[in-house]
Amino acid sequence: MTTESARRLLEAAIAEVAASPSSMRKLAQSACTRANLEREWVYEIDGTNALEDVETRREVSLGGPHHADLQIEGTPIEFKSTKPWYAGEKAFETRIPPRRNSAEFWLSGDMTRMEERDGIFVLLVSTADEPVHKDWSHHSLGSMRDLGIQRYTDWLQTRADQLKAGAVVDLVAAGHGDYAGKTAQHDALIVRWPTA
């Protein structure tokens, strides 16, 4: 199976999760109570009908201490999860060494491993409640979501192209659900590289 086939299956699985009221309820609870929820997403994706007839594995070793969260027919996939308000301008500053909470520090290593192994990198962005950083206090949830996704997309595209020219970052709507009177809106940014 090619990386492109794995990407299509992944997107079908995300669409299936997005259409499932029970999955969206679970993911909304996680988004409203936790900073990161990639494990929950991997679990929900791996249980979809879209992946029923293909080989999948979770927590696949890439050698040494590194692993991929999910593998679809041999294609490794690494997931990260965030909220849009973590996309403050300081998160994208270039420093050597990288700042601890920067995108470079947090995402770049996993992206490099996925590019080297013809894999896929997924950044899940969940807009679930009011921003915790006062820099965002003048934004509505909708504008905060839009700006956060745009900043992450721009950074991911730049970094992915540095690893290998021709990288593509796809924005995929990943559904919404309610928990405790709040709505969690999910978006997936899927990064892939051209393969030989």
Side-chain angles (χ1 to χ4, degrees):
M1 175 173 287
T2 66
T3 302
E4 181 59 23
S5 299
R7 181 197 58 81
R8 285 195 299 269
L9 284 167
L10 173 64
E11 288 193 13
I14 290 171
E16 188 176 325
V17 170
S20 165
S22 64
S23 291
M24 285 292 101
R25 203 168 26 256
K26 290 178 205 169
L27 291 166
Q29 179 177 1
S30 295
C32 290
T33 58
R34 300 185 54 215
N36 299 304
L37 52 149
E38 55 260 19
R39 286 184 193 162
E40 289 86 346
W41 270 100
V42 171
Y43 177 82
E44 294 297 326
I45 287 168
D46 193 28
T48 60
N49 292 329
L51 301 181
E52 187 175 48
D53 295 327
V54 298
E55 181 186 355
T56 63
R57 291 174 46 211
R58 285 186 247 162
E59 297 297 321
V60 178
S61 174
L62 298 175
H66 304 297
H67 69 278
D69 293 316
L70 182 66
Q71 187 177 68
I72 298 175
E73 290 286 343
T75 298
I77 304 169
E78 181 65 22
F79 292 80
K80 290 290 188 189
S81 167
T82 190
K83 304 285 178 66
W85 59 73
Y86 293 127
E89 291 179 8
K90 288 184 179 179
F92 305 104
E93 290 177 351
T94 303
R95 291 187 184 178
I96 299 173
R99 237 175 30 114
R100 188 172 183 338
N101 292 325
S102 69
E104 180 69 27
F105 181 88
W106 177 55
L107 304 174
S108 193
D110 288 324
M111 290 179 70
T112 299
R113 283 185 285 281
M114 291 303 100
E115 186 278 321
E116 290 172 344
R117 291 167 175 82
D118 291 332
I120 297 169
F121 179 85
V122 181
L123 181 63
L124 298 154
V125 183
S126 296
T127 307
D129 47 17
E130 296 303 318
V132 295
H133 301 293
K134 59 184 171 186
D135 293 349
W136 294 90
S137 60
H138 61 286
H139 287 274
S140 68
L141 283 179
S143 69
M144 180 181 63
R145 174 179 169 241
D146 292 344
L147 183 56
I149 288 171
Q150 187 59 58
R151 286 179 177 174
Y152 278 121
T153 301
D154 292 346
W155 186 87
L156 289 168
Q157 185 67 63
T158 299
R159 184 67 185 110
D161 279 333
Q162 289 170 347
L163 294 170
K164 186 175 192 179
V168 176
V169 179
D170 293 312
L171 172 61
V172 175
H176 58 86
D178 297 317
Y179 173 75
K182 298 176 181 176
T183 297
Q185 179 76 39
H186 308 285
D187 297 280
L189 294 167
I190 301 175
V191 183
R192 55 197 165 93
W193 292 267
T195 55

